Amino acid sequence: MKKYIKDLQVVNKQILSAEYYLLELSSNQPLPEVLPGQFAEVEITGSDATFLRRPLSVHDVDYDKNTISFLVQIVGKGTKHLANIEVGKILNVIFPLGKGFELIKSSENALLIGGGCGIAPLLYLARHLKKQGVKVSTLIGVRRSSQLIELDNYKKYGDVLITTEDGSEGTKGYVVNHPVFENLKQYKKIYTCGPEVMMKAIAKRANESRVDCEVSLENMMACGIGACLCCVTETTEGNKCVCTEGPVFNIHNLKWQI
Amino acid sequence: MKKYIKDLQVVNKQILSAEYYLLELSSNQPLPEVLPGQFAEVEITGSDATFLRRPLSVHDVDYDKNTISFLVQIVGKGTKHLANIEVGKILNVIFPLGKGFELIKSSENALLIGGGCGIAPLLYLARHLKKQGVKVSTLIGVRRSSQLIELDNYKKYGDVLITTEDGSEGTKGYVVNHPVFENLKQYKKIYTCGPEVMMKAIAKRANESRVDCEVSLENMMACGIGACLCCVTETTEGNKCVCTEGPVFNIHNLKWQI
Amino acid sequence: MADLKVNIGRLELKNPVLTASGTFGYGEEFADFIDLNRLGGIIVKGTTLHHREGNAYPRMAETPSGMLNAVGLQNKGVDYFIEHIYPRIKHYDSAIIVNVSGSIVEDYVATAEKLASLDKIPAIELNISCPNVKEGGMAFGTSCPGAKSVISAVRKVYPGSLMVKLSPNVTNIAEIAKVAEDEGADSVSLINTLLGMAVNAETRRPVLSTITGGLSGPAIKPVALRMVWQVYNAIKIPIIGLGGIMNATDAIEFFLAGATAIQIGTANFIDPQVTIKVIEGINEYLDRHNLKSVKELTGALQVVK
Amino acid sequence: MADLKVNIGRLELKNPVLTASGTFGYGEEFADFIDLNRLGGIIVKGTTLHHREGNAYPRMAETPSGMLNAVGLQNKGVDYFIEHIYPRIKHYDSAIIVNVSGSIVEDYVATAEKLASLDKIPAIELNISCPNVKEGGMAFGTSCPGAKSVISAVRKVYPGSLMVKLSPNVTNIAEIAKVAEDEGADSVSLINTLLGMAVNAETRRPVLSTITGGLSGPAIKPVALRMVWQVYNAIKIPIIGLGGIMNATDAIEFFLAGATAIQIGTANFIDPQVTIKVIEGINEYLDRHNLKSVKELTGALQVVK
Ligand SMILES: Cc1cc2nc3c(=O)[nH]c(=O)nc-3n(C[C@H](O)[C@H](O)[C@H](O)COP(=O)(O)OP(=O)(O)OC[C@H]3O[C@@H](n4cnc5c(N)ncnc54)[C@H](O)[C@@H]3O)c2cc1C
Ligand SMILES: Cc1cc2nc3c(=O)[nH]c(=O)nc-3n(C[C@H](O)[C@H](O)[C@H](O)COP(=O)(O)OP(=O)(O)OC[C@H]3O[C@@H](n4cnc5c(N)ncnc54)[C@H](O)[C@@H]3O)c2cc1C
Ligand SMILES: Cc1cc2nc3c(=O)[nH]c(=O)nc-3n(C[C@H](O)[C@H](O)[C@H](O)COP(=O)(O)O)c2cc1C
Ligand SMILES: Cc1cc2nc3c(=O)[nH]c(=O)nc-3n(C[C@H](O)[C@H](O)[C@H](O)COP(=O)(O)O)c2cc1C
Ligand code: FES
Ligand code: FES
């Protein structure tokens, strides 16, 4: 797929919580096709503390409005700086990058599991799956209910299930403590993104239940386009770049001890 | 004199021309005494291209409004970045730094000569001289008339004489081509700030006419407080820091070949 | 439009802008962003005799105005390059130069010999300076005898243009450059990365799997410029300068310090179109300064003694 | 409030934060901004046997995340220090350490001898690594025999705590550190500045009067951390780490890599109160991590082998 480098304009910024914000960017040319699970490398303009671009998953694309959006969690210098960008400003973005999720076919069931900021790529995925006629359930795991964001958006494409570590909403515990894990076989496929320990726990259960499972990795990246070889993960075929061969991998191709 | 490090708030920004702007900063505490010719070290907040602070002369202090102002010329990365600061923002400033001009006594005549951005420290100087009863003439030299800024402010404290290199206003030529140089002896003292070649030409003429002359130097500075020894100029007593022993020097103490 | 052609010994480049090994893949990765045929040259990934998996993840740390990497020469080996990659890239109208690495002299020699047979590879860059591999690599680049052993052995089997890439992690880089010249290298390129380290204060662990790694980016530009200047004053063969070049002004600084051509590395990660902008910027500078050829800039630093 | 005391051989510091020579004047310059008595130590300007005018202006260039300097040890000589400056600063309740430089071994020795007589100077820092003077200086710091000659000579006449400041412009810094340890130094401090250069592309002149100068600031932090780690693995005497420390997190990275104490240099120019902020930040870190003493951090990097 052809990659683009574009100056996009911030047309909307929404502070969702102390930790999360949403950026909606628009282009003066029609946006290219973007697949669910792909990501972008965003320049952090005018930040004196960051040097490299930052990889962000495509959260949604609205071809009617010609906008692309990112859901960002503030974790460090770059994501903090970006939170202060003003509507109207320009961000230089390289996209679409990487390979997306492999979609399943109509009338099958999919379980999408997002932990923390890992929900970012799942919205656009849910939208595509639903369009194909897949029945989507999205399981979102957070520490406390105040971290639950954008639920209504996810509900547009299917059920939303919730776990909170403190039990303040939904099932108490981690995502794997949710009752759906007692009957995983109802799903044709699990798609997940979030902290590695969460994804490994899910992969183990998926593996035990012989349910197909794709995970989206967030390795540290310098270039995002396969040039630096910094972002590798060990696969059954040796070290592979997460930015070009991923970020989505089928768990059977990873060398996770599960 | 005690030095302060303070967070000051931008209360006014005036774009004077494509090259010049004025920043007016206020403090939440009463401003300390500042002498004409002193300067400040200003942090260039949020600039990814600059590392050190930037030295700027005190252009004016208004104790009634509790504000301090700087006249800045855009010459590079830092001064350009600062031009985009918005009213309301905070700048961290170390001031007052260096030694100021030595004021002459009541009823004597002073000639102030500013070249380009060198006019910056002369406004506050003119204000002080006038208050002491000194008769002030300010000679401003620029390339073309469009670079003439703030004339009305200088006129508050005395005559304003002008030279332009292209002859578009005032005397055509450099400042030393102005008729006042034919009768320099009418002045008790000359105060000047601007490009070194200009100041040297003035120093030569002052020397010839045996008129006392102080120049304000703009050496490259790393600290502004006498700690790094980067900003030295050769004096009759060896290398001296411009930031602590200057920026104002009497030409007799410099080892200029004039 | 000034003349941008430069000569690296017998090798003529259409302009002095090359891409640095390990930062530009095989060029293809950038084909969506720029016209690769406009580059003076493309120096492809560090290539070794045998396939190498490289170091474990994590391999990267961001640092002030720079980054550390610990890739460790991951590549599929020279045979794979010749069979699968070379056919895809040989048609580029830019000099394709292969960066050659090894752990023992014999590996360097065998790799260089294989590459010598390729029509469209006019030069190799001998990497005697990689800080990210346990054995060899940098060891060859940090002592005169080490450098001599590998350069002279490769020179015997490699008839093409031989560029030797020097390590900055030495007391006296001019000394090593002199060895390269004496052993018959056609040019030297410098600098490779400075050995550095990053620590995560919260986890109390090194950020890189290898603890130390190679520092690149604008942070190292002052060191790179100094070394180019030192080497320029010590040898006569052409110098290819690199280290932290982000724009045309940086490139011109390297020419003035003594470089005949330059390479752009880390900057490609931040702006995949930077190489073209640098070519255009050099041209603009030459026009503005009324210079006919970029060659006039090499070593043109005006020093008052 | 954790215990911030550290021991540099026989010298106890009330906390591990010192100021780097040449960046903090004689301390007095900062008296308006901070309480100097709160510092672990103040390392004053490079002091030589005789008065030195230093290098010609310009002496400074800003670089990406750093700066170059070419001050060249401007100072009034050790006698002036003893007579005029020492009386003004000796009452500070921080260890006052004098940085000693020279061009020949005899000068180092004579300077150290004079300083040995001062009650309130518990230590000297032997600067065998200054890149900004023509003769001596760095030459002593870039070879083992050179280092040995000056350290052993000074050790004979100086009974106080002897800190040797190492140059980073070497192939193997651990080797030089070992010499310092073997010759009886009480501690080593590292790193001094990296030799660098800046060029003005428009005027085509070097920015510094000396063409090359010393690079400091965050740009060099990765190199400094790596060297501290290498030296920590090679010697047993305490290490004082420095190079680009801007905040408490940076300081903690140096402790983890092996430093017992740290120095803050260039950061003082940007924030004259940075030293106090670092002391407070270290304390906050220790409390947050439930550590009783800063000593627990030294070399505590968790390395998975
Ligand atoms: C393919 C991909 C998609 C991603 N999608 C999203 C998303 O949609 N929304 C979102 O909020 N975050 C996403 N991330 C993570 C995001 O890139 C990091 O949170 C961000 O780079 C941190 O930058 P920072 O300057 O705020 O943090 P820093 O101050 O640089 O570091 C803070 C922490 O973030 C980690 N980190 C720093 N740089 C990177 C990097 N380049 N790659 C990965 N981790 C890094 C560090 O290990 C450190 O622990 C994604 C990462 C990848 C690789
Ligand atoms: C005591 C003093 C008072 C000054 N007062 C004023 C003033 O009132 N208004 C004003 O507009 N300017 C003043 N200057 C000059 C001003 O400090 C420089 O123009 C500014 O630092 C340039 O920063 P920059 O990032 O825009 O330029 P850069 O991109 O850093 O460089 C552009 C040019 O400015 C010069 N320069 C860079 N840094 C410094 C520095 N620290 N000191 C001196 N020159 C430098 C460089 O040589 C270069 O040629 C003063 C300088 C001094 C020393
Ligand atoms: C991710 C990465 C990988 C690199 N791989 C190689 C390599 O394989 N061979 C080599 O000689 N240099 C390699 N280098 C060094 C660069 O070619 C270059 O010498 C260095 O990065 C300095 O230039 P820069 O600051 O422009 O990046 C690599 C650098 C980076 C950042
Ligand atoms: C302006 C300046 C002057 C310096 N003078 C000396 C000196 O006289 N003696 C010395 O040993 N180091 C000197 N140094 C080096 C510093 O002490 C320190 O080793 C170096 O700057 C790295 O630390 P930093 O990055 O925290 O500044 C000087 C550094 C600067 C920036
Ligand atoms: S981030 Fe550079 S190869 Fe993946
Ligand atoms: S600028 Fe540091 S001493 Fe003057």
Side-chain angles (χ1 to χ4, degrees), chain C residues 65 169-171 195-197 199 201-202 204 206 211 222 226 229 253 285 288-289 302-303, chain D residues 65 170-171 195-197 199 201-202 204-206 211 222 226 229 285 288-289 302-303:
Chain C
S65 298
N169 301 295
V170 294
T171 309
L195 195 60
M197 172 171 169
V199 170
E202 288 304 314
R204 288 183 232 169
I211 307 179
R226 179 262 294 184
W229 172 247
E253 293 169 15
Y285 177 95
R288 187 156 49 82
H289 286 257
Q302 290 167 41
V303 173
Chain D
S65 299
V170 295
T171 308
L195 195 60
M197 174 170 167
V199 169
E202 288 304 313
R204 290 184 233 167
R205 291 181 194 282
I211 308 179
R226 178 263 293 185
W229 171 247
Y285 177 96
R288 187 157 47 83
H289 285 258
Q302 290 168 40
V303 175

Short mmCIF file of all heavy atoms in Angstrom, two decimals, chain C residues 65 169-171 195-197 199 201-202 204 206 211 222 226 229 253 285 288-289 302-303, chain D residues 65 170-171 195-197 199 201-202 204-206 211 222 226 229 285 288-289 302-303:
data_model
loop_
_atom_site.label_atom_id
_atom_site.label_comp_id
_atom_site.label_asym_id
_atom_site.label_seq_id
_atom_site.Cartn_x
_atom_site.Cartn_y
_atom_site.Cartn_z
N SER C 65 18.05 15.38 21.27
CA SER C 65 18.49 15.63 19.89
C SER C 65 19.20 14.44 19.26
O SER C 65 20.13 14.61 18.46
CB SER C 65 19.41 16.87 19.82
OG SER C 65 18.72 18.01 20.24
N ASN C 169 34.82 6.47 18.12
CA ASN C 169 35.12 6.10 19.50
C ASN C 169 36.61 5.83 19.70
O ASN C 169 37.02 4.78 20.19
CB ASN C 169 34.29 4.86 19.88
CG ASN C 169 32.80 5.13 19.74
OD1 ASN C 169 32.26 5.97 20.45
ND2 ASN C 169 32.16 4.47 18.79
N VAL C 170 37.40 6.80 19.28
CA VAL C 170 38.85 6.63 19.34
C VAL C 170 39.50 7.92 19.82
O VAL C 170 38.92 9.00 19.71
CB VAL C 170 39.43 6.29 17.94
CG1 VAL C 170 38.95 4.93 17.46
CG2 VAL C 170 39.08 7.37 16.93
N THR C 171 40.73 7.77 20.30
CA THR C 171 41.49 8.93 20.76
C THR C 171 41.92 9.80 19.58
O THR C 171 41.89 11.02 19.66
CB THR C 171 42.73 8.47 21.54
OG1 THR C 171 42.31 7.53 22.54
CG2 THR C 171 43.46 9.63 22.20
N LEU C 195 29.46 5.55 20.91
CA LEU C 195 28.92 4.56 21.84
C LEU C 195 28.27 5.28 23.02
O LEU C 195 28.89 6.13 23.68
CB LEU C 195 30.05 3.65 22.32
CG LEU C 195 29.63 2.37 23.01
CD1 LEU C 195 28.79 1.50 22.09
CD2 LEU C 195 30.86 1.59 23.48
N GLY C 196 27.01 4.96 23.27
CA GLY C 196 26.26 5.61 24.34
C GLY C 196 25.40 4.62 25.10
O GLY C 196 25.44 3.41 24.83
N MET C 197 24.62 5.15 26.01
CA MET C 197 23.82 4.27 26.87
C MET C 197 22.60 5.04 27.36
O MET C 197 22.66 6.26 27.54
CB MET C 197 24.69 3.82 28.04
CG MET C 197 24.02 3.06 29.14
SD MET C 197 25.31 2.41 30.27
CE MET C 197 24.27 1.86 31.62
N VAL C 199 19.36 4.75 30.35
CA VAL C 199 18.89 4.05 31.54
C VAL C 199 17.47 4.50 31.83
O VAL C 199 17.15 5.68 31.69
CB VAL C 199 19.80 4.40 32.74
CG1 VAL C 199 19.22 3.91 34.05
CG2 VAL C 199 21.21 3.87 32.52
N ALA C 201 15.19 5.29 34.65
CA ALA C 201 15.34 5.52 36.09
C ALA C 201 14.23 4.84 36.89
O ALA C 201 14.44 4.41 38.02
CB ALA C 201 15.36 7.03 36.39
N GLU C 202 13.05 4.73 36.32
CA GLU C 202 11.93 4.15 37.06
C GLU C 202 12.05 2.63 37.19
O GLU C 202 11.84 2.08 38.26
CB GLU C 202 10.59 4.54 36.43
CG GLU C 202 10.22 5.99 36.64
CD GLU C 202 10.18 6.41 38.12
OE1 GLU C 202 9.59 5.67 38.94
OE2 GLU C 202 10.75 7.47 38.45
N ARG C 204 14.82 1.02 36.61
CA ARG C 204 16.23 0.76 36.94
C ARG C 204 16.88 -0.27 36.03
O ARG C 204 17.65 -1.11 36.46
CB ARG C 204 16.37 0.34 38.42
CG ARG C 204 16.12 1.53 39.33
CD ARG C 204 16.32 1.18 40.79
NE ARG C 204 15.14 1.59 41.53
CZ ARG C 204 14.88 1.25 42.77
NH1 ARG C 204 15.73 0.48 43.42
NH2 ARG C 204 13.79 1.67 43.35
N PRO C 206 18.60 -0.90 31.92
CA PRO C 206 19.04 -0.26 30.68
C PRO C 206 17.87 -0.24 29.71
O PRO C 206 17.02 -1.15 29.74
CB PRO C 206 20.14 -1.18 30.15
CG PRO C 206 20.31 -2.28 31.14
CD PRO C 206 19.23 -2.20 32.16
N ILE C 211 22.48 -2.96 26.56
CA ILE C 211 22.94 -1.95 27.52
C ILE C 211 23.49 -0.71 26.80
O ILE C 211 22.96 0.38 26.98
CB ILE C 211 24.00 -2.50 28.51
CG1 ILE C 211 23.44 -3.79 29.18
CG2 ILE C 211 24.32 -1.44 29.58
CD1 ILE C 211 24.41 -4.42 30.16
N PRO C 222 28.47 18.21 16.30
CA PRO C 222 29.73 18.92 16.59
C PRO C 222 30.95 17.99 16.61
O PRO C 222 32.03 18.36 16.17
CB PRO C 222 29.47 19.54 17.97
CG PRO C 222 27.98 19.63 18.09
CD PRO C 222 27.45 18.43 17.34
N ARG C 226 34.10 18.08 13.88
CA ARG C 226 35.49 18.17 14.36
C ARG C 226 36.33 17.06 13.76
O ARG C 226 37.47 17.27 13.33
CB ARG C 226 35.48 18.07 15.88
CG ARG C 226 36.84 18.12 16.54
CD ARG C 226 37.42 16.76 16.90
NE ARG C 226 36.67 16.06 17.92
CZ ARG C 226 37.05 14.90 18.44
NH1 ARG C 226 38.17 14.30 18.02
NH2 ARG C 226 36.30 14.31 19.34
N TRP C 229 37.13 17.62 10.12
CA TRP C 229 38.17 18.65 10.05
C TRP C 229 39.55 18.07 10.37
O TRP C 229 40.53 18.32 9.67
CB TRP C 229 37.79 19.78 11.01
CG TRP C 229 38.82 20.84 11.22
CD1 TRP C 229 39.50 21.10 12.38
CD2 TRP C 229 39.27 21.82 10.28
NE1 TRP C 229 40.33 22.17 12.22
CE2 TRP C 229 40.22 22.63 10.95
CE3 TRP C 229 38.96 22.08 8.95
CZ2 TRP C 229 40.88 23.69 10.32
CZ3 TRP C 229 39.61 23.14 8.31
CH2 TRP C 229 40.56 23.93 9.00
N GLU C 253 28.16 22.86 6.24
CA GLU C 253 29.17 22.89 7.31
C GLU C 253 30.16 21.74 7.14
O GLU C 253 31.36 21.91 7.33
CB GLU C 253 28.50 22.82 8.68
CG GLU C 253 27.67 24.07 9.01
CD GLU C 253 26.79 23.90 10.24
OE1 GLU C 253 27.01 22.93 11.01
OE2 GLU C 253 25.88 24.71 10.43
N TYR C 285 22.01 27.35 -1.97
CA TYR C 285 23.15 28.00 -1.31
C TYR C 285 24.23 28.37 -2.33
O TYR C 285 24.77 29.48 -2.31
CB TYR C 285 23.73 27.07 -0.24
CG TYR C 285 24.96 27.59 0.47
CD1 TYR C 285 24.87 28.26 1.70
CD2 TYR C 285 26.25 27.40 -0.07
CE1 TYR C 285 26.01 28.73 2.35
CE2 TYR C 285 27.38 27.86 0.58
CZ TYR C 285 27.25 28.53 1.79
OH TYR C 285 28.38 28.99 2.43
N ARG C 288 23.10 31.30 -4.37
CA ARG C 288 23.08 32.52 -3.57
C ARG C 288 24.49 33.06 -3.33
O ARG C 288 24.70 34.26 -3.24
CB ARG C 288 22.38 32.25 -2.23
CG ARG C 288 22.12 33.45 -1.37
CD ARG C 288 20.95 33.22 -0.40
NE ARG C 288 21.06 31.95 0.32
CZ ARG C 288 21.81 31.78 1.41
NH1 ARG C 288 22.49 32.78 1.90
NH2 ARG C 288 21.85 30.61 2.02
N HIS C 289 25.44 32.12 -3.21
CA HIS C 289 26.82 32.55 -2.98
C HIS C 289 27.65 32.63 -4.26
O HIS C 289 28.87 32.72 -4.20
CB HIS C 289 27.49 31.61 -1.97
CG HIS C 289 27.00 31.81 -0.57
ND1 HIS C 289 27.74 32.47 0.37
CD2 HIS C 289 25.84 31.47 0.03
CE1 HIS C 289 27.05 32.51 1.51
NE2 HIS C 289 25.90 31.91 1.34
N GLN C 302 37.35 29.25 6.25
CA GLN C 302 38.34 30.33 6.36
C GLN C 302 38.83 30.43 7.79
O GLN C 302 38.10 30.82 8.68
CB GLN C 302 37.72 31.65 5.93
CG GLN C 302 37.45 31.71 4.43
CD GLN C 302 36.56 32.87 4.09
OE1 GLN C 302 36.73 33.95 4.63
NE2 GLN C 302 35.62 32.64 3.20
N VAL C 303 40.07 30.07 7.95
CA VAL C 303 40.62 30.03 9.29
C VAL C 303 41.67 31.12 9.41
O VAL C 303 42.59 31.19 8.61
CB VAL C 303 41.25 28.65 9.53
CG1 VAL C 303 41.97 28.64 10.86
CG2 VAL C 303 40.18 27.58 9.47
N SER D 65 20.85 20.64 21.60
CA SER D 65 20.85 20.15 22.99
C SER D 65 22.21 20.25 23.66
O SER D 65 22.57 19.39 24.47
CB SER D 65 20.34 18.71 23.08
OG SER D 65 19.01 18.62 22.61
N VAL D 170 38.72 9.46 24.25
CA VAL D 170 39.67 8.35 24.25
C VAL D 170 38.99 7.08 23.76
O VAL D 170 37.77 6.95 23.82
CB VAL D 170 40.23 8.09 25.66
CG1 VAL D 170 41.06 9.27 26.15
CG2 VAL D 170 39.11 7.78 26.63
N THR D 171 39.81 6.15 23.30
CA THR D 171 39.29 4.86 22.85
C THR D 171 38.79 4.04 24.03
O THR D 171 37.78 3.37 23.94
CB THR D 171 40.40 4.09 22.11
OG1 THR D 171 40.96 4.95 21.11
CG2 THR D 171 39.85 2.84 21.45
N LEU D 195 35.34 16.71 22.42
CA LEU D 195 35.89 17.70 21.50
C LEU D 195 34.96 17.83 20.28
O LEU D 195 34.62 16.83 19.63
CB LEU D 195 37.29 17.26 21.05
CG LEU D 195 38.13 18.33 20.37
CD1 LEU D 195 38.37 19.53 21.27
CD2 LEU D 195 39.49 17.74 19.95
N GLY D 196 34.54 19.05 20.02
CA GLY D 196 33.60 19.28 18.91
C GLY D 196 33.97 20.54 18.15
O GLY D 196 34.99 21.17 18.42
N MET D 197 33.11 20.88 17.21
CA MET D 197 33.42 22.03 16.35
C MET D 197 32.10 22.60 15.81
O MET D 197 31.14 21.87 15.61
CB MET D 197 34.29 21.52 15.19
CG MET D 197 34.60 22.52 14.10
SD MET D 197 35.88 21.78 13.02
CE MET D 197 35.81 22.90 11.64
N VAL D 199 30.63 25.41 12.73
CA VAL D 199 30.97 26.16 11.53
C VAL D 199 29.81 27.08 11.20
O VAL D 199 28.65 26.68 11.32
CB VAL D 199 31.22 25.18 10.35
CG1 VAL D 199 31.32 25.92 9.03
CG2 VAL D 199 32.46 24.33 10.60
N ALA D 201 27.95 28.48 8.30
CA ALA D 201 27.88 28.21 6.86
C ALA D 201 27.85 29.51 6.05
O ALA D 201 28.35 29.56 4.93
CB ALA D 201 26.66 27.35 6.54
N GLU D 202 27.27 30.55 6.59
CA GLU D 202 27.15 31.79 5.83
C GLU D 202 28.48 32.54 5.73
O GLU D 202 28.86 33.01 4.67
CB GLU D 202 26.06 32.69 6.43
CG GLU D 202 24.63 32.18 6.18
CD GLU D 202 24.32 31.97 4.69
OE1 GLU D 202 24.62 32.86 3.87
OE2 GLU D 202 23.77 30.90 4.34
N ARG D 204 31.36 31.15 6.40
CA ARG D 204 32.36 30.12 6.12
C ARG D 204 33.55 30.19 7.06
O ARG D 204 34.69 29.99 6.66
CB ARG D 204 32.83 30.22 4.65
CG ARG D 204 31.71 29.77 3.72
CD ARG D 204 32.13 29.74 2.28
NE ARG D 204 31.18 30.51 1.50
CZ ARG D 204 31.35 30.90 0.25
NH1 ARG D 204 32.48 30.61 -0.37
NH2 ARG D 204 30.42 31.58 -0.36
N ARG D 205 33.26 30.50 8.30
CA ARG D 205 34.30 30.53 9.32
C ARG D 205 33.91 29.61 10.47
O ARG D 205 32.74 29.35 10.69
CB ARG D 205 34.44 31.94 9.90
CG ARG D 205 35.00 32.94 8.95
CD ARG D 205 35.12 34.31 9.60
NE ARG D 205 35.34 35.32 8.59
CZ ARG D 205 36.50 35.54 7.99
NH1 ARG D 205 37.55 34.82 8.32
NH2 ARG D 205 36.62 36.46 7.07
N PRO D 206 34.92 29.17 11.21
CA PRO D 206 34.60 28.45 12.45
C PRO D 206 33.90 29.42 13.40
O PRO D 206 34.19 30.62 13.36
CB PRO D 206 35.96 28.05 13.01
CG PRO D 206 37.00 28.55 12.08
CD PRO D 206 36.37 29.36 11.01
N ILE D 211 38.65 27.18 16.71
CA ILE D 211 38.10 26.22 15.75
C ILE D 211 37.35 25.08 16.47
O ILE D 211 36.17 24.91 16.27
CB ILE D 211 39.16 25.64 14.78
CG1 ILE D 211 39.93 26.82 14.12
CG2 ILE D 211 38.49 24.76 13.72
CD1 ILE D 211 41.03 26.36 13.17
N PRO D 222 24.20 10.51 26.81
CA PRO D 222 24.32 9.06 26.53
C PRO D 222 25.77 8.57 26.57
O PRO D 222 26.05 7.46 27.03
CB PRO D 222 23.71 8.92 25.14
CG PRO D 222 22.81 10.10 24.97
CD PRO D 222 23.47 11.21 25.73
N ARG D 226 27.39 5.94 29.40
CA ARG D 226 28.10 4.75 28.96
C ARG D 226 29.48 4.68 29.60
O ARG D 226 29.92 3.61 30.04
CB ARG D 226 28.22 4.79 27.43
CG ARG D 226 28.97 3.64 26.81
CD ARG D 226 30.44 3.93 26.50
NE ARG D 226 30.63 4.92 25.46
CZ ARG D 226 31.82 5.24 24.96
NH1 ARG D 226 32.93 4.65 25.42
NH2 ARG D 226 31.92 6.18 24.05
N TRP D 229 29.36 3.76 33.24
CA TRP D 229 29.09 2.33 33.33
C TRP D 229 30.36 1.50 33.05
O TRP D 229 30.68 0.55 33.77
CB TRP D 229 27.97 1.98 32.36
CG TRP D 229 27.67 0.53 32.15
CD1 TRP D 229 27.86 -0.19 31.01
CD2 TRP D 229 27.08 -0.37 33.10
NE1 TRP D 229 27.44 -1.47 31.18
CE2 TRP D 229 26.96 -1.62 32.45
CE3 TRP D 229 26.65 -0.24 34.42
CZ2 TRP D 229 26.42 -2.74 33.08
CZ3 TRP D 229 26.12 -1.37 35.06
CH2 TRP D 229 26.01 -2.59 34.39
N TYR D 285 12.52 10.99 44.79
CA TYR D 285 12.63 9.67 44.14
C TYR D 285 12.89 8.58 45.17
O TYR D 285 12.27 7.52 45.16
CB TYR D 285 13.76 9.70 43.11
CG TYR D 285 14.04 8.37 42.41
CD1 TYR D 285 13.47 8.08 41.18
CD2 TYR D 285 14.88 7.42 42.99
CE1 TYR D 285 13.73 6.88 40.54
CE2 TYR D 285 15.15 6.21 42.36
CZ TYR D 285 14.57 5.95 41.13
OH TYR D 285 14.82 4.75 40.50
N ARG D 288 9.79 7.92 47.17
CA ARG D 288 8.78 7.24 46.35
C ARG D 288 9.14 5.77 46.14
O ARG D 288 8.27 4.91 46.04
CB ARG D 288 8.65 7.97 45.00
CG ARG D 288 7.53 7.49 44.12
CD ARG D 288 7.11 8.56 43.10
NE ARG D 288 8.23 9.18 42.41
CZ ARG D 288 8.82 8.66 41.34
NH1 ARG D 288 8.41 7.52 40.84
NH2 ARG D 288 9.84 9.27 40.76
N HIS D 289 10.43 5.49 46.06
CA HIS D 289 10.87 4.11 45.84
C HIS D 289 11.24 3.41 47.15
O HIS D 289 11.84 2.33 47.12
CB HIS D 289 12.06 4.09 44.87
CG HIS D 289 11.66 4.34 43.45
ND1 HIS D 289 11.55 3.34 42.53
CD2 HIS D 289 11.31 5.49 42.81
CE1 HIS D 289 11.17 3.87 41.36
NE2 HIS D 289 11.02 5.16 41.51
N GLN D 302 19.75 -2.89 36.96
CA GLN D 302 19.41 -4.31 36.86
C GLN D 302 19.65 -4.79 35.45
O GLN D 302 18.93 -4.44 34.53
CB GLN D 302 17.96 -4.53 37.26
CG GLN D 302 17.74 -4.31 38.75
CD GLN D 302 16.26 -4.25 39.07
OE1 GLN D 302 15.49 -5.01 38.52
NE2 GLN D 302 15.88 -3.33 39.94
N VAL D 303 20.65 -5.63 35.33
CA VAL D 303 21.03 -6.09 34.01
C VAL D 303 20.72 -7.57 33.90
O VAL D 303 21.14 -8.36 34.73
CB VAL D 303 22.54 -5.85 33.79
CG1 VAL D 303 22.98 -6.44 32.48
CG2 VAL D 303 22.84 -4.36 33.84
#
